[in-house]
Each structure stands twice: as C-alpha cells, then as structure tokens.
Amino acid sequence: MVAADQESFFATAPPLGDAVAVAAKLQEFIARNSSRSHPSGKRALPRTTRPRCGTHATRAGLSFHRTPEGLANPRASLSCDVRAEGGGRRRIVCVTSGGTTVPLEQRCVRYIDNFSSGHRGAASTEYFLKAGYAVIFIHRRGSCQPFCRFLPDDSFLNFFDITTESKVQVVESHTTVVKKAIGEYSKAIEGGSLLKLPFTTIFEYLQLLKMVATSMSSVGLHGMFYLAAAVSDFYVPWDSMAKHKIQSAGGPLDMKLSQVPKMLSVLRNQWAPLAFCVSFKLETDSEILIQKAEMALNKYKMNVVVANLLATYKEEVVVVSNGERNTIRRCSKDEDLEEHIIMLLEKSHSKYICSSADACSKNGYEKVIPLGIESLA
Amino acid sequence: MVAADQESFFATAPPLGDAVAVAAKLQEFIARNSSRSHPSGKRALPRTTRPRCGTHATRAGLSFHRTPEGLANPRASLSCDVRAEGGGRRRIVCVTSGGTTVPLEQRCVRYIDNFSSGHRGAASTEYFLKAGYAVIFIHRRGSCQPFCRFLPDDSFLNFFDITTESKVQVVESHTTVVKKAIGEYSKAIEGGSLLKLPFTTIFEYLQLLKMVATSMSSVGLHGMFYLAAAVSDFYVPWDSMAKHKIQSAGGPLDMKLSQVPKMLSVLRNQWAPLAFCVSFKLETDSEILIQKAEMALNKYKMNVVVANLLATYKEEVVVVSNGERNTIRRCSKDEDLEEHIIMLLEKSHSKYICSSADACSKNGYEKVIPLGIESLA
C-alpha cells in the first residue's frame, strides 16, 4: 500500500528542473567527504561538554528527574571507545529545514504552506559543522540560513553606515557578530563541508530527499538524517490539480486533499537502511505530543524523535529514543537549544556506529538492523 | 449582503494585537504629512519623463498601437494646470504588498498562502517616495522591502569581506548599490515619509486596511490606494476553524472554504470614498485577464486596474482605466516596470484631483463622484 502510494507520488510529480546537475554535485560531495577522516571526538564535541541548560532524563512513563552525571557528560558512560572511533570515516548528515508547500493550482497562485522559519535547521547545521560532520542542507527557498540567523527580517539596511570618507561599513555594534559569521561560513564553504539544496514544493522536497538518501546509502552507518523540515501531510496530486487559478466567483471552495505517502518508512527500509535517523514531531496539543513521538519512533523505526510544541519549540524539546526521554530546556535567550541537541545526537550516533559495527563483525554486514539509542544513563 | 458579510468577518476575526499603537502612529503620520505641501510637479516626476520601455495605448476593443506623443509625455496633454496643483496639499498613498495567509488551524501549523514576493509593492514604494508621496506600506512580514530589493535570498554573507586589518567591509562590487540604497532609505525614514505596517494573515491585513482607509478619508482626493497585495479569496472563518493541528491519521482531508467578503467596494463606498483607487488583477489565463480587469473596474468602481499574468508579471502589465488600456512592457532586465507605472498613475491622480476639484467647486464637495481616468491621449 505504502509502496504503491509512494511510487504513484513520484510517477506523477513534476520532475525536478535540475536533477542531473544536483545528482552530480551530490555524488561529488559525498565521495569527497566520505573519503576523509572524521575529526577526533575531542574536536567534534562543542567546547562545553556539560550542557549549560537544563537536561533531564527519564525512562518512559516515569516522572522527569535530574539526569545522573553520566548523561550530563555522556562520553563518560559509553561502553566502547567512541573517541577512537571518532577518527574513522567522516560522517555526513542530511539536515532538512523549513516548510514544504502544496500547490493548489498547476500554474500556482495559491498553495498550502507549513509553519517553519527554518531557524532550527539552520542552527543545527552550524553545530553539526562544528562537530565535524559534512552537511547536506536541504532547505526551503528563502528560509533561515546557517550563519545568517542574526539577520533581521526587515531592517537589513540598519547594518550599514556610511563613513565620513563616504565608504560603506558595517555598523560598529554588529561588527562582532558579522565577523564571526563570515569566518565560520567561509570555513564551511571553502572546506567543502556544506552543500545547500533548495526546495519549495512537497514534490521538490521528496524528490531531493530520495536522491540524497539513496546517494548516502554508500556511507552506511556514518550517515545521519536530521529531518527538521515541516513536511505537508496533505496534498493535491499533480494530475488532479486545477491547471489555472481557481476562480472565486464560483462561490465557496470545497477542497479534497489526499494524504502525502509516509516516506519515513521508505527512507528507513529502502533508501538508506543503515543511516541514523532523527525525525521531528511538532504538535499544538501537549496531551498527545509524547504519545505521537513514540508512535513515530516505533512505526517508522526512527532512532530518535525530537518532540516539540508549537508554543514552546524555541525553549524546550524532548528527545525521545527507545525507552528514554531527554528533556532539553533553554535557560536564557542567548543559548541555542540546538547546541545541546546536536551534542546529544553526536554521542548517540557514535554509540550507534559502535554497537552496529560490533554487530557487523559478529553477524556479517548485511544483517545489521538499525538500533535505537539505548539509555545513556 | 456584502455589508453583512464584512461585518461578520470583522466581528469574528481575532483582533490586532497592537491596534492602539498602530492607530496612534497612523494618525500622527497622516496629520504630519497631510499638513505639508506636495513637491512641485517637476520634482515629483522621475528624471526620465519619456518612458524608456514600450508604452502602448488603446481604446478598449481596438488592437494595440503605439501611443501618441501626448501619452508618452502625459503632462503635455493635461487640460488643467496640474503642475501648479503639484505644489498643493501633500499626497499620501497606501501601498499594500505581499500575500495574505489563511490559517487552517487556530494554533496555526498549516495555512494557505498566496504567491507574492512583495517585489512590486516594494519597488513601487520607492518610486512613490521619489514622486513626492508619503507612503503607508502595508506589507507581509518577511516580504521584499523598499530599498532592499538587491538583497540576495540566501547569500547575505557574500556581501561582506574582512580587510587585512581584520575589519568587516562591504565587498567592492556591491558598494555602489548598497550606498545608494542606504542614502535613499535614510532619507525616507528620517524625512518621516514612510510608515511600514506588517501583516501575516488575512485577518490582520483587512483590519489594517480598514484602519488606514478610514484614517485616510481625511485626506480626501489627495489619498491613493495602490492595492498590490495578493489577497486570499477563500478562508476559514475563525469561529469554525480547528483549534489544534489537524491530524493526518484521519485519512484524506475535506476542506470547506468560505469566500472572503469583497472589501474593495466597502473601501470605495464607505472607508475612503474620495480616494484614487488602484487595484491589481493577477491571472494565469491570458484569455480572461482583461475581461476580469474590466469587471473589477466597473464592479468595484476602481479608478485603475493593473492587469498582469503570472508568467510575465515582471515584464508586462496592462493599465486598465475607463475605456483605456495602456500596456507597459520592460525592454531590459535593468529597468523597473514600476517606475513607469507610478509615472502614469501620478499623472492620472493629478488629473483626478483636478477634475474632481472642478466638480467640487461647481456642485459642492459632498456630491463628488469618484472618476476613472479618462483617455490621456
């Protein structure tokens, strides 16, 4: 059923305009980066190994409690030597970011959009790069970009001054932040560690994701998917879509939307079966959030689901894995929640590689079953 | 019917968060600017009075032909002395820009959006300011801003360099454009000629438009509305909207959307009956474009309707008024179509003020009926 749905989705979707060029860039990026070695564990971790903001761990069903020392500094508790492993093959993460649109007309004037600034994906990309990952950043056109998060929405010109010699310069108060951003951005671009691929519609997004995932299957356990994009659940199949702008003179509009085929299970089972997979769950109702996150974890065999509420997504997330919940809460507005999410995920990914590689050497590579994170406590 | 619909729209819409502050800013802006005198006709016009790009005029129903000299330089053909009038009361234009959203849930994760970058509204605002108008810029949050049109979508950091003395500077090749933009932006802001009011949803947009229009009624004939925003035709009334995120587990989605009450006739008849009104018509089907534009002209008693096709809206518009069509076509990518649209509209507005004022002095102020532009040829 799922397979038939997804086949029909791709068969009827308008093809990507620049598929050949994108595929070539992608192959080159993956080949180049996967032949490098991963920075050592010491460098890969952000400077502060102890999270500054509140991190709480709990087993599913129990009330939240402060984490034991082992989790606050998770490296201490890892059973195999992840630090040594850190020097192995370079890891690649595919970060998806921003909302997908669903066109309502083929010559599109109206579309359904999903709330997402792309801030989480952009910030996470910065921290993945710092942790030594190569990043494929699949992002919504016009959404928030890595190293540009400080950019104000509508007062770009406030960044500039004209000097007495009538030269353009950056306003003094913004110099530090701009200088830091340029330095880090240039390093990522010149070092060839960041590949940016833009999308707008659900059709473009899923075709890009499929292309990246099948290309990344060669990286095996060293690949990660960090699916922070807000992906449409409902859409109008291309072949049943109105060609022209829907006219309003015809009275109220009755719109029938189909479900977008759930691609997470296809990603897990077919496209990149060995990758470490992290998906996101955004809800508005706190009553159903954790339950929905655990459902996604089991149904789509994700390694981690990051659960967040629309009202508090900037302040708090719950990182849900097999039998484990870690709440990460921001203590001040100057902190990036993403720094702590990535810190936790990097360790979990290390452990996943280590455990799966152990299983590999015992059972043969082909039989490896993707694992969830076990308790780090 | 229309009155009942629009009353119910406003009665059930979630109220603007900062209505009191916005109203105060608006009153102050209008009072200050309408007490100033309008720059003389000579200054108000852009430097090039003869359009560089192709302008064609035609009477409705006739095929297009090159315009006579009188239209290419329309000032020459005006029957009353608009140049002298130019020194009168300062004109104020309300420019609306960008697309409105229609939330599908009260705690909104999904929404219907309308295709619009806001480029036309932003560019037009620049040319209205140059022509001496004070501008109230009602714009979609995050859409294109006046004097920032050169800003690239996703490579902001490419604008900067770090000098050998490790100071941040603007890259040489961008210096000219940034310097020009800062100069013009600062002039508009410091001169108090530009008021920016942001919206996201259809609810915010229509409440802002109503507030601005009723405030601008005091400016009478000297007010203009330039309605370039892409406004939703269909919406979900707030009180029948799902409170939480719609769950996808329930199968396909059947959405019933109501028509947004047509506010153009309310604007014309109640909110600002003396203002010069310009609306836009965007279609994807060239077969129905002009017919729909003329329908809007007659039905809503607009002075001008600017008609454009989605596929060519950057290259060509048809400016439709009573019995007249002017096609403005861009000859090169370096030209702004908006420069020529505003040039034409400023002249038409002058003529409108002049004719209506004549009618005023003959018939008494109360009886003035808004006029369309007559043929300028």
Side-chain angles (χ1 to χ4, degrees):
Chain A
M1 173 62 182
V2 169
D5 282 355
Q6 62 113 335
E7 268 169 36
S8 125
F9 179 91
F10 287 115
T12 58
L16 273 183
D18 48 358
V20 176
V22 171
K25 269 201 276 185
L26 197 53
Q27 292 299 345
E28 191 277 328
F29 183 86
I30 292 173
R32 183 163 37 77
N33 278 290
S34 63
S35 67
R36 293 181 186 173
S37 62
H38 199 72
S40 73
K42 203 161 184 176
R43 273 194 204 152
L45 261 188
R47 260 176 231 116
T48 321
T49 49
R50 179 191 292 273
R52 280 166 300 166
C53 56
T55 306
H56 299 70
T58 177
R59 292 197 173 273
L62 293 184
S63 64
F64 284 65
H65 61 272
R66 187 155 287 284
T67 180
E69 181 62 12
L71 185 71
N73 185 357
R75 197 189 309 169
S77 69
L78 295 177
S79 59
C80 70
D81 192 353
V82 172
R83 276 158 293 183
E85 188 283 327
R89 200 173 175 186
R90 188 173 195 186
R91 300 186 200 162
I92 301 179
V93 61
C94 168
V95 174
T96 71
S97 184
T100 63
T101 69
V102 164
L104 299 180
E105 299 122 343
Q106 286 190 5
R107 298 188 190 176
C108 177
V109 174
R110 301 185 188 90
Y111 53 92
I112 299 183
D113 206 343
N114 272 44
F115 165 80
S116 174
S117 65
H119 189 278
R120 174 146 292 151
S124 302
T125 293
E126 295 177 23
Y127 289 107
F128 273 122
L129 287 166
K130 279 188 197 159
Y133 282 75
V135 183
I136 299 168
F137 181 61
I138 303 187
H139 64 280
R140 165 72 175 272
R141 278 186 190 86
S143 68
C144 190
Q145 295 294 301
F147 308 112
C148 286
R149 291 181 288 139
F150 58 86
L151 182 64
D153 228 26
D154 62 351
S155 51
F156 170 71
L157 292 176
N158 297 343
F159 264 69
F160 301 106
D161 243 354
I162 298 186
T163 65
T164 42
E165 303 91 50
S166 134
K167 287 191 80 171
V168 178
Q169 69 175 16
V170 176
V171 174
E172 188 62 30
S173 55
H174 292 301
T175 307
T176 317
V177 74
V178 173
K179 204 187 285 184
K180 185 164 172 280
I182 298 174
E184 292 173 335
Y185 178 71
S186 308
K187 199 175 136 200
I189 292 294
E190 284 160 21
S193 304
L194 176 60
L195 177 65
K196 303 211 270 181
L197 300 175
F199 66 85
T200 302
T201 67
I202 181 76
F203 302 108
E204 291 172 335
Y205 172 79
L206 285 177
Q207 287 178 89
L208 277 177
L209 183 63
K210 182 181 182 182
M211 197 184 272
V212 171
T214 49
S215 304
M216 269 179 64
S217 68
S218 65
V219 185
L221 302 168
H222 294 258
M224 189 197 288
F225 286 83
Y226 182 85
L227 305 165
V231 182
S232 319
D233 290 310
F234 302 104
Y235 82 122
V236 185
W238 191 258
D239 45 8
S240 63
M241 200 183 290
K243 191 175 163 201
H244 283 295
K245 184 180 173 188
I246 300 164
Q247 295 297 320
S248 63
L253 184 63
D254 196 349
M255 253 186 347
K256 284 183 182 35
L257 299 173
S258 308
Q259 278 186 289
V260 173
K262 300 291 181 191
M263 298 292 181
L264 285 185
S265 48
V266 190
L267 173 76
R268 163 51 79 219
N269 296 323
Q270 293 175 34
W271 297 344
L274 293 177
F276 186 80
C277 289
V278 183
S279 73
F280 279 73
K281 197 76 198 162
L282 178 76
E283 292 292 338
T284 58
D285 185 353
S286 63
E287 298 287 311
I288 60 170
L289 177 66
I290 297 298
Q291 172 203 341
K292 298 268 301 178
E294 291 190 332
M295 232 168 67
L297 195 74
N298 298 324
K299 189 167 175 191
Y300 306 119
K301 301 198 196 98
M302 295 288 102
N303 298 88
V304 175
V305 176
V306 181
N308 48 174
L309 285 171
L310 184 64
T312 58
Y313 75 102
K314 284 185 181 165
E315 281 79 44
E316 183 178 312
V317 296
V318 184
V319 179
V320 182
S321 57
N322 269 353
E324 178 88 10
R325 295 181 201 161
N326 289 302
T327 300
I328 303 180
R329 201 171 289 131
R330 192 165 73 161
C331 296
S332 90
K333 289 201 168 175
D334 299 329
E335 281 185 332
D336 283 332
L337 212 50
E338 292 77 11
E339 179 172 4
H340 303 283
I341 300 175
I342 299 337
M343 201 191 304
L344 193 64
L345 291 179
E346 193 220 354
K347 291 293 103 194
S348 308
H349 191 195
S350 294
K351 193 168 183 221
Y352 169 75
I353 294 173
C354 181
S355 324
S356 307
D358 277 355
C360 261
S361 57
K362 281 183 202 139
N363 308 324
Y365 200 79
E366 293 306 312
K367 288 185 196 156
V368 170
I369 297 155
L371 302 171
I373 314 180
E374 287 163 26
S375 167
L376 294 169
Chain B
M1 173 63 182
V2 170
D5 282 354
Q6 61 112 336
E7 268 169 35
S8 126
F9 179 92
F10 287 116
T12 58
L16 272 183
D18 48 357
V20 176
V22 171
K25 269 200 276 187
L26 197 53
Q27 292 299 344
E28 191 277 328
F29 183 86
I30 292 173
R32 184 163 37 77
N33 278 291
S34 63
S35 67
R36 293 180 185 172
S37 62
H38 199 72
S40 74
K42 202 160 185 176
R43 275 195 204 151
L45 260 189
R47 261 176 231 116
T48 321
T49 49
R50 179 191 292 270
R52 280 165 300 164
C53 56
T55 306
H56 300 70
T58 178
R59 293 197 173 273
L62 293 185
S63 64
F64 284 66
H65 61 272
R66 187 155 287 283
T67 180
E69 182 62 13
L71 185 71
N73 184 357
R75 197 189 308 170
S77 69
L78 295 177
S79 59
C80 70
D81 192 353
V82 172
R83 276 158 293 184
E85 189 282 328
R89 200 172 176 187
R90 188 173 195 187
R91 300 185 201 162
I92 301 180
V93 61
C94 168
V95 174
T96 70
S97 184
T100 63
T101 70
V102 164
L104 298 180
E105 299 122 343
Q106 286 190 5
R107 296 187 192 176
C108 177
V109 173
R110 301 186 189 89
Y111 52 92
I112 299 182
D113 207 343
N114 273 43
F115 166 80
S116 174
S117 64
H119 190 278
R120 174 146 293 152
S124 302
T125 293
E126 295 176 24
Y127 289 107
F128 273 122
L129 286 166
K130 278 188 198 159
Y133 281 75
V135 183
I136 299 168
F137 181 61
I138 303 187
H139 64 281
R140 165 74 175 272
R141 278 185 191 87
S143 67
C144 190
Q145 296 293 302
F147 308 112
C148 286
R149 292 181 287 139
F150 58 86
L151 182 63
D153 228 26
D154 62 351
S155 51
F156 170 71
L157 291 176
N158 297 343
F159 265 69
F160 301 107
D161 243 353
I162 298 186
T163 65
T164 42
E165 303 91 51
S166 133
K167 287 190 80 171
V168 178
Q169 70 174 15
V170 176
V171 174
E172 188 62 30
S173 55
H174 293 301
T175 308
T176 316
V177 74
V178 174
K179 204 187 283 184
K180 185 163 172 280
I182 298 174
E184 291 173 336
Y185 178 71
S186 309
K187 198 175 138 201
I189 292 294
E190 284 160 21
S193 303
L194 175 60
L195 177 65
K196 303 211 270 181
L197 300 175
F199 66 85
T200 302
T201 67
I202 180 77
F203 302 108
E204 290 172 335
Y205 172 79
L206 285 177
Q207 286 178 90
L208 277 176
L209 183 63
K210 181 180 182 182
M211 197 184 270
V212 171
T214 48
S215 304
M216 270 178 64
S217 67
S218 65
V219 184
L221 302 168
H222 294 258
M224 188 198 288
F225 286 83
Y226 182 85
L227 306 165
V231 182
S232 319
D233 290 310
F234 301 103
Y235 81 122
V236 185
W238 191 258
D239 45 7
S240 63
M241 199 183 291
K243 191 175 163 200
H244 283 295
K245 184 181 173 188
I246 300 164
Q247 295 297 320
S248 62
L253 184 64
D254 196 349
M255 254 186 348
K256 285 184 181 34
L257 298 173
S258 308
Q259 278 186 287
V260 174
K262 300 290 181 193
M263 297 292 182
L264 285 185
S265 48
V266 190
L267 173 76
R268 163 52 79 219
N269 296 323
Q270 293 175 34
W271 297 344
L274 293 177
F276 186 80
C277 289
V278 182
S279 73
F280 280 73
K281 197 77 198 160
L282 177 76
E283 292 292 339
T284 59
D285 185 353
S286 63
E287 298 288 310
I288 60 170
L289 177 67
I290 297 299
Q291 170 203 343
K292 298 269 300 179
E294 291 190 332
M295 232 168 67
L297 195 75
N298 298 324
K299 188 168 175 190
Y300 306 120
K301 300 197 196 100
M302 295 289 101
N303 299 88
V304 174
V305 175
V306 181
N308 47 174
L309 285 172
L310 184 63
T312 58
Y313 74 102
K314 285 185 180 165
E315 281 79 44
E316 183 178 312
V317 296
V318 184
V319 179
V320 182
S321 57
N322 270 353
E324 178 88 10
R325 295 180 202 163
N326 290 302
T327 300
I328 303 180
R329 201 171 290 132
R330 193 166 73 161
C331 296
S332 90
K333 288 201 169 176
D334 299 329
E335 282 185 333
D336 283 332
L337 211 51
E338 292 77 11
E339 179 173 3
H340 303 283
I341 300 175
I342 299 337
M343 201 191 304
L344 192 65
L345 291 179
E346 193 220 355
K347 291 293 103 195
S348 307
H349 191 195
S350 294
K351 192 166 184 223
Y352 169 75
I353 294 172
C354 180
S355 324
S356 307
D358 277 356
C360 261
S361 58
K362 281 183 201 140
N363 308 324
Y365 200 80
E366 294 306 313
K367 288 185 198 158
V368 171
I369 297 155
L371 302 172
I373 314 179
E374 287 162 27
S375 167
L376 295 169

